[in-house]
Amino acid sequence: MASVFSHGLVALVIGSVSAPRAMPKRFWALSIICSILPDADVIAFKFDIPYEHMFGHRGISHSLLFAAMLGIFVAFAFFSNMRTSVRWLLTLYFTLVTASHAVLDAMTNGGLGVAFFAPFDEARYFLPWRPIVVSPIGIGSFFSAWGMRVIVSELLWVGLPAAGLALPLILIRRFVVNRKTSPESELS
């Protein structure tokens, strides 16, 4: 798996380039939670559920169906005060943020793959390009030489591309789009 840091970063980037500026704090908190939540499946190890089982690690909680169901739940449970059309856009957004978790995990060099299509297909998949060093499971193992390799790998393959994508789009929004819509621009 990629680390919680990379999953959270990707959620913040997706949100910063796609959401209006005036999103409430719960939007950002839920974005991070949705991006990390699929890894709650590690609890399966405590119940002796094998890794390769559909309810094991990188199983159904990493599926596109799970991402869609979580997206619907989050949008309609936490944004009930918004118009239905906005909630459906938020559903799409939170589905994408949740699915980004599985995509990152499918880019790692370890594990058994990701059950993108569970429960309909229990096969595990990786993407053809797998540059991210797989993160150890457990906090203690993360603070080791292996954990340092993960951090370096994620900075290179997730952090830099995320910054390269987000910064120009944020700057364009801030200096071009906002300038056109600001009250001062109407005076000139």
Side-chain angles (χ1 to χ4, degrees):
M1 70 181 154
S3 74
V4 295
F5 305 111
S6 285
H7 292 303
L9 174 65
V10 168
L12 293 176
V13 168
I14 294 170
S16 68
V17 300
S18 62
R21 290 173 43 105
M23 295 306 287
K25 290 179 184 177
R26 73 181 180 274
F27 170 86
W28 300 104
L30 289 164
S31 295
I32 293 169
I33 290 167
C34 285
S35 73
I36 296 170
L37 191 61
D39 273 344
D41 65 5
V42 297
I43 197 163
F45 293 127
K46 298 284 186 199
F47 295 100
D48 295 322
I49 297 172
Y51 189 125
E52 63 274 3
H53 191 276
M54 184 171 57
F55 292 104
H57 184 51
R58 290 186 176 178
I60 197 160
S61 69
H62 285 60
S63 71
L64 298 174
L65 177 64
F66 177 84
M69 290 174 38
L70 185 61
I72 291 168
F73 171 75
V74 169
F76 282 82
F78 292 95
F79 297 92
S80 59
N81 60 327
M82 295 190 174
R83 292 188 326 264
T84 302
S85 60
V86 172
R87 283 184 282 170
W88 282 113
L89 287 173
L90 286 168
T91 294
L92 181 62
Y93 168 78
F94 285 112
T95 298
L96 178 64
V97 166
T98 305
S100 74
H101 182 108
V103 172
L104 279 181
D105 280 2
M107 292 176 65
T108 64
N109 65 359
L112 300 178
V114 176
F116 283 112
F117 306 109
F120 312 108
D121 175 11
E122 291 187 38
R124 303 290 182 105
Y125 299 91
F126 282 107
L127 294 181
W129 188 56
R130 298 170 51 193
I132 302 171
V133 175
V134 69
S135 182
I137 295 175
I139 296 171
S141 301
F142 194 76
F143 296 102
S144 65
W146 180 5
M148 185 53 70
R149 286 194 309 273
V150 170
I151 291 170
V152 169
S153 170
E154 290 182 357
L155 283 172
L156 178 64
W157 299 111
V158 180
L160 289 176
L165 173 67
L167 289 177
L169 293 173
I170 292 168
L171 291 173
I172 288 168
R173 180 185 292 166
R174 181 162 289 153
F175 294 110
V176 176
V177 175
N178 288 346
R179 185 168 293 171
K180 288 180 182 177
T181 59
S182 69
E184 296 85 21
S185 67
E186 294 177 13
L187 297 175
S188 51

